[in-house]
């Protein structure tokens, strides 16, 4: 019985290690983004994000809804200020090369979105992802915060016109 079990266990161990190795190369997108939450936000854009909106908070300048749909660093909301309602997340874009943060983040986001999405650099620190025949636009932006740390915003907009940078956006 032991002779049968040992080869089986060795085979299972090799299969397990092989699975871990393939997971490690595919983790980039999963480490940076929650792909299922992002896809839920993209799908929800068609209804103005109504199905993922939580508690509403208003100020004189904005309306913001909390959401349980967290695609990037658990810092996502649906907001409306200078644009129609859109899904917006904030968080660090950590890489070994801070200048390449947008490229690395864009590659991970492309993996998360899957086939059919095209990216375009619409500004030096901004990538817009679109899909032919589909209205939602996904935008990844990179910026330095007041502490010199490389940060990113991930946005899902209902259509291309809503995703266009506004005067004063940096």
């Amino acid at each position: 019985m032991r002779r049968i079990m040992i080869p089986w266990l060795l085979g299972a161990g090799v299969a397990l290690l092989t699975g871990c190795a393939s997971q490690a190369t595919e983790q980039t997108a999963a480490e940076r983004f929650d792909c299922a939450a992002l896809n839920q936000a993209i799908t929800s854009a068609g209804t103005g994000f109504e199905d993922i909106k939580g508690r509403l908070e208003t100020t004189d300048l904005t309306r913001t809804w909390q959401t349980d749909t967290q695609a990037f660093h658990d810092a996502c909301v649906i907001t409306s200020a200078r644009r129609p309602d859109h899904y917006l997340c904030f968080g660090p874009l950590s890489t070994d090369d801070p200048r390449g943060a947008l490229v690395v983040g864009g590659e991970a986001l492309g993996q998360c979105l899957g086939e059919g999405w095209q990216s375009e650099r619409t500004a030096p620190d901004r990538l817009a992802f679109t899909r032919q025949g589909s209205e939602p636009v996904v935008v990844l932006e990179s910026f330095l915060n007041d502490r010199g740390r490389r940060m990113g915003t991930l946005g899902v907009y209902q259509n291309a016109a809503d995703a266009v940078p506004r005067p004063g956006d940096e």
Side-chain angles (χ1 to χ4, degrees), residues 114-136:
E115 291 192 29
W117 287 87
Q118 302 294 320
S119 68
E120 177 184 357
R121 190 175 284 240
T122 57
D125 289 322
R126 189 173 200 274
L127 289 173
F129 290 82
T130 56
R131 183 172 50 182
Q132 189 168 355
S134 176
E135 285 288 356

Side-chain angles (χ1 to χ4, degrees), residues 18-123:
T18 303
C20 290
S22 66
Q23 261 188 332
T25 58
E26 296 173 11
Q27 273 186 326
T28 304
E31 286 176 351
R32 293 185 186 276
F33 305 104
D34 180 330
C35 299
L38 177 58
N39 286 324
Q40 184 178 4
I42 291 167
T43 301
S44 183
T47 64
F49 306 100
E50 290 299 322
D51 55 329
I52 63 171
K53 285 180 177 175
R55 186 183 73 236
L56 173 64
E57 297 173 6
T58 61
T59 69
D60 291 339
L61 301 174
T62 65
R63 292 179 307 157
T64 302
W65 291 266
Q66 300 301 315
T67 183
D68 291 334
T69 305
Q70 299 293 313
F72 184 54
H73 288 287
D74 291 330
C76 303
V77 295
I78 294 127
T79 188
S80 178
R82 296 174 52 198
R83 313 170 186 270
D85 297 352
H86 57 284
Y87 177 84
L88 196 59
C89 307
F90 299 90
L93 272 178
S94 311
T95 64
D96 292 336
D97 175 15
R99 294 169 298 178
L102 186 66
V103 173
V104 172
E107 288 172 357
L109 184 56
Q111 290 174 12
C112 199
L113 291 169
E115 291 192 29
W117 287 87
Q118 302 294 320
S119 68
E120 177 184 357
R121 190 175 284 240
T122 57

